[in-house]
Amino acid sequence: MPPRQRRSYTAEYKVEAAHRVIDSGRTISEVARELGIDPGMLSVWVTHEQRRVAAAEAHGDTPLEPAERAELQRLRRQVAELEKDNQFLVKASAYFAATRKNRPGSN
């Protein structure tokens, strides 16, 4: 039997999963079951996020509200999509510039 591959999670996913517990007041077990992840792992994420929020508050910073976090995620996805579009357009323009340059009778 081949060994199971470890799943990796982005930092954003971990924060969102932790806030599902913190913001909703639901148990770690409930949220872990809903997300299909190990409750012990989610517990570590919740503890880490609670410490991060407490440290931010100690320095006078206010943590992001759930709506702000959602908007930040949406904007990050949008920026990533726009960067992909931009890369495509750069490649396409280079391609068309090269084909136009190589066309007979164009100098």
Side-chain angles (χ1 to χ4, degrees):
M1 177 185 268
R4 285 180 46 183
Q5 285 195 340
R6 288 182 63 145
R7 293 178 9 191
S8 62
Y9 302 95
T10 64
E12 290 85 9
Y13 182 84
K14 292 176 184 180
V15 169
E16 282 303 312
H19 276 281
R20 282 190 180 197
V21 174
I22 296 167
D23 297 340
S24 70
R26 294 172 24 209
T27 66
I28 290 174
S29 297
E30 283 179 77
V31 174
R33 194 172 23 259
E34 176 185 299
L35 297 175
I37 60 176
D38 181 64
M41 184 169 54
L42 180 57
S43 176
V44 170
W45 297 350
V46 168
T47 302
H48 183 263
E49 184 61 15
Q50 287 172 331
R51 286 182 183 156
R52 190 188 66 76
V53 168
E57 289 173 348
H59 287 94
D61 295 336
T62 56
L64 295 176
E65 295 295 321
E68 292 172 321
R69 275 196 314 278
E71 182 181 12
L72 181 60
Q73 276 190 312
R74 183 187 62 77
L75 291 171
R76 284 182 176 164
R77 280 192 300 269
Q78 185 178 6
V79 165
E81 190 66 32
L82 291 171
E83 286 175 345
K84 279 193 252 177
D85 291 348
N86 195 27
Q87 288 173 356
F88 172 78
L89 291 172
V90 166
K91 290 177 184 177
S93 66
Y95 170 78
F96 287 116
T99 58
R100 182 175 179 158
K101 187 177 180 182
N102 292 333
R103 209 180 295 168
S106 64
N107 286 354

